[in-house]
Amino acid sequence: MARLGDILIRDHLITPGQLESALAAQGDERGRLGQLLVRRGLITLDQLGDALAEQYCTPYLDLTPQMVNPQVARLLPEKLVRSRGCVPVAVHGDTMQLAMASPDDLETISEAELITGYRVEPFVALDSPVQAVIDRGFDDRLVARQTLVDLKMADLEAAEEIDDDDLTAEVKSDEEQAPVVKLVRAILMGAINANTSDIHLEPHTPEMRVRYRVDGELQPVMTIPSHIEEAVVSRIKVMADMDTTENRRPQDGRLAVDEGGSRVNFRVSTIPTVGGEKVVMRLLDEGNQIFDLERLGLKSRDVATIQALIDKPHGMIVVTGPTGSGKSTTMYAMLSKLNAVSRNIVTVEDPVEYRLPGINQVASDNEHGLGFANALKYIMRQDPDVIMVGEIRDHETAATAVQAALTGHLLISTLHTNDAVGAVARLADLGIDGFKSGGALLGSVAQRLLRSICAECKEPVEPNRKLLDAMTKGQPLENDGLFYRGRGCKKCLGTGYSGRIPIYEILTVTPAVAAAIEKGVPGSRIRELALSEGMVELTTAGLEQVAAGRTTLEEVFYKISS
């Protein structure tokens, strides 16, 4: 087989000196020789394709992701196509066309024929387009979209071949069932692969909208035709062991799917709306969930402060913040630290999302007399050492929680307030007097989750000076003078962010703070006192992450001001 460089020199496309220089640079630059020559502007992609076709005596395929059906790309396992640099691109009869960076790889061709049962027709293609096709083919959201296209095409073909009046409802159901099953699974798998926390299926006119919540933000994924909307919802209900005949009242359920050898659970909630049933599925990936203070992303000072709080034998610790700020995860991490055979730890939650080994977890159930307040009273008779209450919502729960903290129990719960100091005012709003709050409260932990800048498209940026001055109050930021943002790429779905990091504001109730609470001094004075004793505000914690190049000024401002 002729060498690529020799072919290009023979055709007077490059000189021997240019070839020698490119070969010498291959150790430092990524990619094959042909791609390196293209990057240097010495040859075009078309010229490279012609040379590769001659080298391998195989047709060259100018590949683009959009020309390949994602379901065809999946004819071979993802692990194989990524490791071998090949991907199925089309099927004709008993022949499968296989785009390959190395079409002389007979072992891969034989393995592909064995797996698929097709006769392989190899084509030579460049590495980058092959990988792009693979990325697109194994994006479950695109597969779901393609399933919808296939479903619509099948409907059209069926309409041409058979008069609808001659089809019974049972036959139509059988025809739709397989695509609907495939569609629902693709939606679930796409959510898992996109690190989604929630899936929203929302009935609107003319089509149902599907959105994923990624890094705290809802992003549209696809729409589902109205004529299969009910079938999709029914399929989810069947998987979640819910009543498929009931669509006039809310329902809750759970379903599980197997992915990569592990089991991923979803909590399913349905509610009737004017357009139909809305479905929200919360992803509960227990295998990937981290309940360890040191691994949550806390700064060392925050880990030390929280550890000091939970080391106390009794008292109340509250975690505050808006919905979706990670309060439950922080509480679970605290419980994991406290978990020992010498302690009786009991929780009451609504609902119990994650099972913690060695901890007694109770599901709140108002219909059977197990609301937070009543459940807490029963738990007090169970000789607990540590109690976790999902949320303090009313006076009765607050009063019982404070009483438990004052009578020798360590109690952990959540409150909906904007900052750590706000917990004091919230307890007062719930009817707890300052004397009891000051005596019971050990600390208040306020938190937010900030989106991280995507590492793949991170780039320096000139900051918004007005916003910077307003947030720093004119004080210099301790960084290298550089600010960053995410430009937007495929990995981050064009958002510029990928993943999240927590920030904390921790109020430790020292004797001075406790005395101020008992006297009923204003929250602003308590904040000043706490700051003088070393409390770090949320804004300051956020700016520390900006200075470290992990997030943006805009993200900090949006999450803390909202």
Side-chain angles (χ1 to χ4, degrees):
M1 182 174 64
R3 294 186 301 179
L4 178 63
D6 293 337
I7 295 172
L8 294 172
I9 291 174
R10 186 205 65 199
D11 292 343
H12 306 293
L13 297 174
I14 62 173
T15 66
Q18 289 171 332
L19 174 62
E20 186 177 343
S21 173
L23 289 172
Q26 265 194 293
D28 299 323
E29 296 189 38
R30 296 169 57 188
R32 296 170 179 257
L33 174 63
Q35 293 171 314
L36 192 153
L37 292 170
V38 171
R39 284 203 302 271
R40 292 188 169 196
L42 298 175
I43 60 174
T44 66
L45 284 174
D46 289 339
Q47 290 169 339
L48 174 59
D50 292 339
L52 289 172
E54 180 178 346
Q55 180 187 19
Y56 290 108
C57 299
T58 304
Y60 169 71
L61 189 59
D62 186 8
L63 198 59
T64 61
Q66 290 72 27
M67 65 190 285
V68 181
N69 185 322
Q71 292 172 357
V72 172
R74 285 180 169 229
L75 289 172
L76 290 175
E78 182 177 9
K79 185 176 180 181
L80 185 143
V81 294
R82 288 196 184 279
S83 62
R84 306 288 179 83
C86 66
V87 66
V89 293
V91 172
H92 302 289
D94 64 349
T95 301
M96 178 178 72
Q97 294 179 349
L98 188 66
M100 309 177 68
S102 301
D104 59 343
D105 185 350
L106 299 180
E107 182 181 349
T108 295
I109 291 173
S110 298
E111 195 167 344
E113 289 181 336
L114 181 64
I115 291 172
T116 64
Y118 288 108
R119 181 178 64 82
V120 167
E121 181 183 1
F123 285 78
V124 64
L126 301 183
D127 273 331
S128 298
V130 167
Q131 291 301 322
V133 172
I134 293 171
D135 289 342
R136 185 174 187 270
F138 286 90
D139 183 336
D140 286 281
R141 289 164 297 171
L142 288 169
V143 174
R145 292 191 190 105
Q146 185 62 43
T147 300
L148 288 173
V149 172
D150 294 345
L151 187 63
K152 291 177 179 178
M153 292 302 295
D155 287 346
L156 291 173
E157 291 172 3
E160 290 175 357
E161 294 175 4
I162 307 173
D163 184 16
D164 280 345
D165 293 337
D166 297 332
L167 286 173
T168 65
E170 289 78 9
V171 172
K172 285 184 180 179
S173 176
D174 289 342
E175 286 180 347
E176 290 180 348
Q177 186 62 22
V180 166
V181 169
K182 186 186 296 184
L183 173 60
V184 170
R185 180 168 178 80
I187 291 172
L188 297 175
M189 301 306 290
I192 294 169
N193 294 332
N195 293 320
T196 300
S197 62
D198 301 87
I199 308 171
H200 290 241
L201 287 85
E202 303 160 326
H204 293 291
T205 303
E207 295 185 318
M208 172 178 270
R209 179 173 64 182
V210 180
R211 295 192 290 174
Y212 289 166
R213 189 177 292 280
V214 182
D215 295 335
E217 303 292 324
L218 280 172
Q219 298 179 8
V221 178
M222 70 183 78
T223 57
I224 295 175
S226 57
H227 74 281
I228 62 165
E229 179 182 313
E230 290 186 12
V232 169
V233 174
S234 293
R235 172 60 185 169
I236 293 170
K237 285 183 173 181
V238 168
M239 295 176 70
D241 197 24
M242 297 160 70
D243 186 353
T244 58
T245 64
E246 178 59 73
N247 57 15
R248 292 175 296 179
R249 64 179 178 85
Q251 294 190 65
D252 292 303
R254 293 174 74 99
L255 63 85
V257 295
D258 295 317
E259 163 65 1
S262 62
R263 198 166 182 80
V264 180
N265 295 301
F266 291 82
R267 189 185 79 213
V268 183
S269 172
T270 66
I271 190 169
T273 71
V274 292
E277 283 190 278
K278 181 181 187 296
V279 182
V280 175
M281 293 180 278
R282 166 66 58 88
L283 189 124
L284 307 172
D285 190 356
E286 298 186 29
N288 291 330
Q289 191 65 40
I290 298 173
F291 298 128
D292 186 335
L293 284 174
E294 284 80 4
R295 297 175 61 197
L296 284 181
L298 283 79
K299 297 183 80 69
S300 57
R301 65 159 185 260
D302 296 329
V303 174
T305 304
I306 291 176
Q307 186 67 58
L309 291 175
I310 63 177
D311 282 343
K312 301 288 179 66
H314 57 80
M316 184 165 72
I317 303 168
V318 294
V319 184
T320 77
T323 301
S325 60
K327 298 188 297 296
S328 296
T329 301
T330 298
M331 288 198 301
Y332 280 147
M334 292 181 187
L335 293 180
S336 295
K337 274 284 187 183
L338 291 165
N339 197 5
V341 293
S342 59
R343 288 193 180 100
N344 177 22
I345 303 177
V346 187
T347 76
V348 55
E349 306 168 55
D350 181 22
V352 177
E353 293 189 351
Y354 296 99
R355 271 62 167 181
L356 301 177
I359 293 177
N360 306 290
Q361 295 173 270
V362 177
S364 175
D365 185 352
N366 286 309
E367 291 184 7
H368 295 87
L370 269 181
F372 282 137
N374 277 341
L376 188 51
K377 291 176 182 177
Y378 289 122
I379 288 171
M380 293 284 287
R381 301 170 191 165
Q382 292 282 312
D383 186 31
D385 297 300
V386 180
I387 303 169
M388 191 268 269
V389 180
E391 184 183 351
I392 295 176
R393 300 172 178 170
D394 51 46
H395 169 74
E396 188 178 5
T397 306
T400 308
V402 167
Q403 188 63 32
L406 291 171
T407 54
H409 304 89
L410 182 62
L411 186 137
I412 303 170
S413 189
T414 68
L415 282 171
H416 278 287
T417 67
N418 288 328
D419 54 34
V421 176
V424 177
R426 179 63 180 145
L427 287 173
D429 290 341
L430 292 171
I432 308 300
D433 63 57
F435 183 78
K436 287 186 176 180
S437 294
L441 201 59
L442 294 174
S444 173
V445 181
Q447 68 180 86
R448 298 288 191 279
L449 289 175
L450 304 178
R451 291 181 295 171
S452 301
I453 297 172
C454 175
E456 294 293 320
C457 60
K458 183 177 179 180
E459 64 181 12
V461 65
E462 184 66 24
N464 182 328
R465 290 294 171 184
K466 289 184 178 179
L467 183 59
L468 178 61
D469 291 341
M471 294 180 68
T472 61
K473 298 175 183 177
Q475 298 298 314
L477 199 62
E478 295 183 5
N479 67 344
D480 54 7
L482 290 176
F483 295 81
Y484 299 90
R485 69 164 186 180
R487 183 177 61 257
C489 64
K490 181 172 182 178
K491 180 182 177 183
C492 63
L493 306 178
T495 64
Y497 297 97
S498 179
R500 292 192 285 180
I501 48 176
I503 56 171
Y504 294 85
E505 175 182 280
I506 306 176
L507 168 68
T508 300
V509 180
T510 62
V513 172
I517 294 172
E518 291 171 6
K519 292 176 183 176
V521 304
S524 58
R525 178 70 189 100
I526 295 175
R527 173 169 289 278
E528 290 174 4
L529 182 58
L531 289 172
S532 69
E533 294 186 344
M535 183 181 80
V536 177
E537 292 183 293
L538 279 171
T539 301
T540 303
L543 288 172
E544 289 175 346
Q545 299 293 353
V546 172
R550 299 190 185 101
T551 191
T552 64
L553 279 172
E554 291 76 12
E555 177 70 4
V556 174
F557 179 78
Y558 170 71
K559 287 295 168 61
I560 295 177
S561 63
S562 60

